Amino acid sequence: MALARLGQSLARLPQRPLYLPPTPPLLLKDYHASVVRSLAETHTGACLRGFASLTYNASSMIGHKLGGPSPVHIVKALDLFVHLDHTRLMSTAAASQQNLPSAGARKVSRKIVMMSPGFVYEPYSPRERIPFWKRWFTLSGWRRTKEDVILEMKNAYAVSRLRKKTGYTKKQFYDQALNIYKEVNTLMAHGDAPALRKILTERMHSTIKNELKRRQSKWSSVHWELVEPAVSIRTLRARMIGLDKKDLDKGFVQLTLEFVTKQKFEAYNSKGEVVSGDKSKEVLVKDIWVFERSLFHPGAYWRVCGRITL
């Protein structure tokens, strides 16, 4: 009889659902803190660039790498992070608070702040013009018209959110953008990479530093001058990058501008001899730069996050 009951219980065992006993609240908080610390140690070498991209579908990957006590706890630990598909957290700020309850457990809270998405969202590229008859009397023309309307709606939405949160006006922004354009080029001519940090995003600052190193290996010094006023400035694209579907104001706005200006340029070698350019001549230059601003950081201001070459 005993052997029969044992055989029946073993036969029913595979049909029972897997049960994961709940972790006590205090131990779960300690486990979450250990997950955050282990992730911070993993990405220590990439702290300048920020955390690696984490998406909502990354629970299995993190679970395998960390080897936690259960997949359920790993998924819960993901609530400590800010997620954005196809983005990179360029800078972080962590604030820890320690309280010692009667049980002797330690509470650790982490706050992650995204200072920049770290990429240009939908980079501008010129649209090929199509004839009137093709736009309105062919299927491909209708598709193209639909795409153009969607692009313009995205532009209008980004500008409307920007105007509502910051009081944006085109004239005021163009004046600020031209000043930033002039300041960036002047500091690059002087080779002052540290001073550029404030008006560039982290990724853009890294790109400019590498360019300065390559330039200094060829030229000893550079003269650059902007002939004001600018010939023309126009907005090519406006995009908004949202971080929270429940809070529309939590995001970043990127405006792509085209600058057409007259400039003077001259480069010198270590002996002070002119090796490139002529500062007595004005050259017409067209640049496309992308400016970025946060809508939710206190005291946010415009920074250059990218340049586009057509």
Side-chain angles (χ1 to χ4, degrees), residues 161-207:
R161 301 305 304 178
L162 180 63
R163 183 178 291 115
K164 179 180 179 181
K165 291 294 295 181
T166 66
Y168 162 87
T169 62
K170 181 182 290 187
K171 183 181 183 305
Q172 182 181 12
F173 171 65
Y174 281 4
D175 291 340
Q176 294 178 5
L178 183 61
N179 289 334
I180 295 174
Y181 177 83
K182 181 179 179 180
E183 185 177 1
V184 169
N185 281 286
T186 301
L187 292 174
M188 288 181 62
H190 296 161
D192 193 353
L196 286 166
R197 186 177 297 275
K198 184 178 180 181
I199 51 181
L200 303 178
T201 61
E202 288 80 356
R203 183 175 181 180
M204 189 63 185
H205 184 259
S206 177
T207 301

Side-chain angles (χ1 to χ4, degrees), residues 59-221:
S59 58
S60 60
M61 176 188 69
I62 294 178
H64 287 298
K65 287 187 176 181
L66 296 180
S70 68
V72 175
H73 300 157
I74 293 296
V75 174
K76 290 182 178 179
L78 290 178
D79 293 337
L80 299 175
F81 295 91
V82 178
H83 297 274
L84 180 63
D85 289 341
H86 310 297
T87 66
R88 185 176 298 275
L89 304 181
M90 297 306 297
S91 62
T92 59
S96 62
Q97 299 176 351
Q98 298 183 3
N99 297 319
L100 298 178
S102 57
R106 184 179 65 179
K107 296 181 179 179
V108 178
S109 62
R110 299 279 178 173
K111 182 180 180 182
I112 298 179
V113 180
M114 178 184 291
M115 301 304 297
S116 172
F119 67 101
V120 176
Y121 176 51
E122 292 187 356
Y124 169 80
S125 60
R127 306 278 288 176
E128 181 184 358
R129 295 190 176 186
I130 58 177
F132 176 83
W133 65 268
K134 185 176 182 180
R135 178 180 291 274
W136 295 108
F137 299 104
T138 64
L139 184 59
S140 61
W142 293 348
R143 293 196 188 101
R144 170 63 183 274
T145 301
K146 178 182 178 181
E147 293 173 359
D148 291 344
V149 170
I150 293 175
L151 291 177
E152 291 302 322
M153 290 178 64
K154 289 182 178 180
N155 291 336
Y157 177 74
V159 172
S160 66
R161 301 305 304 178
L162 180 63
R163 183 178 291 115
K164 179 180 179 181
K165 291 294 295 181
T166 66
Y168 162 87
T169 62
K170 181 182 290 187
K171 183 181 183 305
Q172 182 181 12
F173 171 65
Y174 281 4
D175 291 340
Q176 294 178 5
L178 183 61
N179 289 334
I180 295 174
Y181 177 83
K182 181 179 179 180
E183 185 177 1
V184 169
N185 281 286
T186 301
L187 292 174
M188 288 181 62
H190 296 161
D192 193 353
L196 286 166
R197 186 177 297 275
K198 184 178 180 181
I199 51 181
L200 303 178
T201 61
E202 288 80 356
R203 183 175 181 180
M204 189 63 185
H205 184 259
S206 177
T207 301
I208 294 297
K209 280 202 311 180
N210 293 332
E211 290 183 4
L212 289 177
K213 290 179 181 178
R214 291 193 297 268
R215 192 197 72 189
Q216 290 170 356
S217 64
K218 297 170 54 179
W219 302 328
S220 178
S221 60

Side-chain angles (χ1 to χ4, degrees), residues 23 142 146 214 253 255 289 291 298-299 303:
T23 306
W142 293 348
K146 178 182 178 181
R214 291 193 297 268
V253 170
L255 297 184
W289 287 19
F291 294 81
R303 298 191 297 172

